[in-house]
Amino acid sequence: MIAPIRLSDVTVAYRRRPAVHHLSGTFAPGSMTAIVGPNGAGKTTLLRALIGELPLDQGRIDRGGIDPRDIAYLPQQAALDRTFPLACAEVVAMGHWGRIGAFRRITGAAAARVADALAAVGLDGFARRPLATLSAGQFQRVLFARMLLQDAPVVLLDEPFTAIDARTTADLMRVVTGWHGEGRTVIAVLHDLEMVRAHFPDALLLAREAIAWGPTGTALTSANLFRARMMAEAWDEDAAICTRGESRRAA
Amino acid sequence: MLLDPFLEFAFMRRALAGCLALSLSAPPLGVFLVLRRLSLIGDALGHAILPGVALAAALFGLSLVAMSAGGVLAGLAVALGAGLAARGTALREDASLAGFYLVALALGVAIVSASGGRIDLMALLFGAVLAVDDPALLFMAGTASVTLIMLAILWRPFVIETFDPGFLRAARGRGAVWHLGFLALVVLNLVAAFHALGTLMAVGLMMLPATAARFWAATLGGQVVVASVLAMLASAAGLALSFHADVPTGPAIVLTAGALWIVSLAAGREGSLLARVLRRPHYAG
């Protein structure tokens, strides 16, 4: 059984401006949490801190013994070159990296799992299609198929459905719910509140700090959403140095 | 008639053999650079080896070992420095490379000038067919072999690191190690090529066939093969042109490769100007 991911007093700053500020809380094992918040609320920053890509200014993240490399992470509509001369199956097969690394060979069974993953995201028969011929939605399906192969206990998604058509969104949402059903911990940054309310049991409303964190119904009240917007828009040029956590550092 | 110089002169055969060997190894590296949108990194590293080569020549004379070692060291230093500057600071990799290579080129020319007339700046920059003696030929062939073996072994991490560096970083795939290893191969190939083509022109054999290959093949493997074939054509035709027209080898080979590139741009199979004009009828489904 996988352990919870505990954040205690996590602060991540760019040029000393906190993007995530004194955040504490727990992602329960097997939970499915939507991270919601206005632009600049620190949502992406939090995900990158969770996979250990950003150093913490303060606080700590206890991943309960999960190696950060075992966390699957899908960045925002990436800077990936969609005309890159690779076939769909070759991209999906990258999901095997954690098991075979740079040098071990792809066995017949591993190749079969690539085909299964493509079928699971509705791209049956696309194995040899060049990436350049795919639509944005199909490209996102390929990246989801790659995540399926990663077989990760924790899955992080950063705005996976932005600029994706409705049908693809519905199909891929089923994949995400499937991960939840298999007991994986799912954390997704999303903008569509309807979708969050419909599919995500838990929500973290983030505006640099946690405005609310808990069951979606109680976290995403209109009062909380309004507070989040106010918090994110406040930007104090002359902010003093934050003293929270100061006592701990002195101790 | 075109083959005469190769039949007649051993130094032409040596230059041809060396250039054909490097045609097998340098263009595949160029294909990866094009895909990484780092086409200019070859230029940068090509310029970067100049001060190393010039300093070694000033200190130890025109010795192959000293000049090659100096070139490799200087190239690696700039590749490392630019890589670190890109990963560790806000400056993007292309911008930091531009900074490094301008400094390196100026430094190289300054060293050559300061050492008086002992070094032939023109030969250093643009290559000389007579510079390909037996040791240089062995160095070029050795570099080609090492590069091909490394490409075969490291193909998978190179492809993934080129397509999606963030994926390898997140999966702790040691992205930086592969990238620096790749740049080391680029430097090695540029140093091996400079004897025949000169430091300014060596990069042409790497990049022009690679950019041209994009117009002929839709798969990565196909592009690599096409790039090598085009480079071999350019090497042979360029050396002949150099002999008959009395042009330095570097510019002659690069001009030939450039002509092939323009033909590909105009009339290649994939996304060239001609392919865009001549729309073939579509399939039923």
Side-chain angles (χ1 to χ4, degrees):
Chain A
M1 192 56 225
I2 57 172
I5 299 174
R6 291 182 213 281
L7 313 183
S8 37
D9 201 29
V10 168
T11 295
V12 184
Y14 297 108
R15 302 179 179 204
R16 302 178 67 196
R17 297 277 174 186
V20 172
H21 202 195
H22 297 293
L23 182 64
S24 295
T26 302
F27 295 99
S31 62
M32 177 160 161
T33 311
I35 301 181
V36 180
N39 289 326
K43 306 182 294 284
T44 299
T45 305
L46 175 58
L47 291 191
R48 292 181 61 202
L50 283 173
I51 60 167
E53 202 177 86
L54 288 178
L56 306 186
D57 282 72
Q58 211 178 338
R60 64 186 301 263
I61 298 177
D62 174 10
R63 297 182 189 83
I66 298 172
D67 193 319
R69 90 184 77 173
D70 289 330
I71 299 178
Y73 170 55
L74 182 71
Q76 275 179 63
Q77 275 280 312
L80 297 186
D81 175 8
R82 280 179 44 202
T83 65
F84 201 95
L86 282 176
C88 293
E90 292 173 309
V91 175
V92 175
M94 291 176 192
H96 280 310
W97 177 273
R99 285 175 298 277
I100 63 174
F103 305 117
R104 264 158 291 162
R105 73 189 196 93
I106 295 183
T107 59
R113 291 189 58 199
V114 170
D116 292 346
L118 275 168
V121 297
L123 291 181
D124 225 342
F126 273 62
R128 304 188 57 179
R129 275 277 288 272
L131 283 187
T133 64
L134 301 184
S135 70
Q138 290 167 331
F139 189 78
Q140 194 73 343
R141 287 172 192 252
V142 168
L143 295 183
F144 265 73
R146 183 172 75 176
M147 293 193 97
L148 275 172
L149 277 199
Q150 283 183 268
D151 195 20
V154 180
V155 180
L156 309 185
L157 306 164
D158 197 350
E159 298 190 20
F161 306 127
T162 304
I164 302 291
D165 61 286
R167 173 123 180 272
T168 301
T169 302
D171 285 355
L172 294 182
M173 194 58 232
R174 268 196 292 282
V175 173
V176 176
T177 333
W179 282 326
H180 179 52
E182 291 163 3
R184 302 176 205 274
T185 306
V186 177
I187 304 170
V189 171
L190 289 171
H191 276 305
D192 183 347
L193 294 181
E194 295 292 309
M195 169 178 276
V196 172
R197 292 200 172 99
H199 297 284
F200 285 76
D202 291 302
L204 161 58
L205 180 55
L206 193 65
R208 280 185 274 164
E209 331 196 347
I211 302 295
W213 192 346
T216 305
T218 54
L220 299 188
T221 61
S222 44
N224 281 344
L225 289 167
F226 180 75
R227 263 181 67 211
R229 209 163 59 233
M230 293 295 104
M231 291 281 292
E233 282 167 6
W235 170 278
D236 186 355
E237 258 322 314
D238 305 312
I241 290 172
C242 175
T243 52
R244 265 184 283 173
E246 204 54 38
S247 53
R248 193 166 329 175
R249 215 177 304 162
Chain B
M1 155 57 197
L2 273 176
L3 289 178
D4 282 352
F6 298 113
L7 298 174
E8 206 168 323
F9 299 107
F11 68 87
M12 287 298 287
R13 286 199 294 278
R14 269 201 303 268
L16 181 66
C19 289
L20 288 182
L22 286 178
S23 295
L24 287 174
S25 64
L29 300 176
V31 169
F32 280 99
L33 287 177
V34 171
L35 288 171
R36 282 205 83 142
R37 296 163 197 230
L38 286 177
S39 301
L40 291 175
I41 207 176
D43 273 297
L45 294 177
H47 296 332
I49 63 180
L50 181 64
V53 172
L55 193 62
L59 291 178
F60 305 104
L62 296 172
S63 122
L64 171 84
V65 177
M67 285 164 74
S68 301
V72 168
L73 285 178
L76 285 181
V78 168
L80 261 176
L84 289 179
R87 277 163 202 258
T89 71
L91 205 56
R92 292 167 53 111
E93 187 154 19
D94 60 338
S96 57
L97 274 166
F100 274 104
Y101 96 67
L102 287 167
V103 174
L105 184 60
L107 189 63
V109 173
I111 292 174
V112 172
S113 310
S115 69
R118 286 208 295 138
I119 311 171
D120 180 357
L121 182 62
M122 285 294 279
L124 214 52
L125 290 180
F126 301 114
V129 71
L130 286 170
V132 187
D133 50 12
D134 282 343
L137 176 56
L138 276 178
F139 181 47
M140 291 164 96
T143 296
S145 310
V146 168
T147 306
L148 287 179
I149 292 168
M150 294 308 277
L151 272 176
I153 296 176
L154 299 177
W155 183 262
R156 185 189 297 162
F158 281 176
V159 171
I160 302 182
E161 161 74 9
T162 305
F163 173 63
D164 190 353
F167 177 78
L168 270 195
R169 207 161 53 229
R172 291 284 168 77
R174 296 181 298 265
V177 175
W178 308 121
H179 185 49
L180 288 176
F182 175 76
L183 289 182
L185 285 180
V186 171
V187 169
L188 193 60
N189 275 270
L190 290 173
V191 172
F194 100 81
H195 297 285
L197 284 88
T199 59
L200 275 190
M201 295 287 125
V203 67
L205 191 66
M206 180 178 285
M207 301 312 302
L208 280 170
T211 30
R214 249 206 149 165
F215 295 107
W216 296 106
T219 66
L220 188 52
Q223 289 186 7
V224 163
V225 172
V226 170
S228 282
V229 170
L230 290 176
M232 291 171 120
L233 284 175
S235 297
L239 282 171
L241 173 71
S242 156
F243 182 86
H244 290 294
D246 196 21
V247 181
T249 46
I253 291 176
V254 171
L255 278 176
T256 325
L260 290 172
W261 168 66
I262 287 172
V263 169
S264 309
L265 183 77
R269 215 161 47 118
E270 307 275 341
S272 68
L273 295 175
L274 189 66
R276 295 224 162 136
V277 176
L278 289 182
R279 295 185 146 225
R280 293 193 294 168
H282 61 269
Y283 296 118

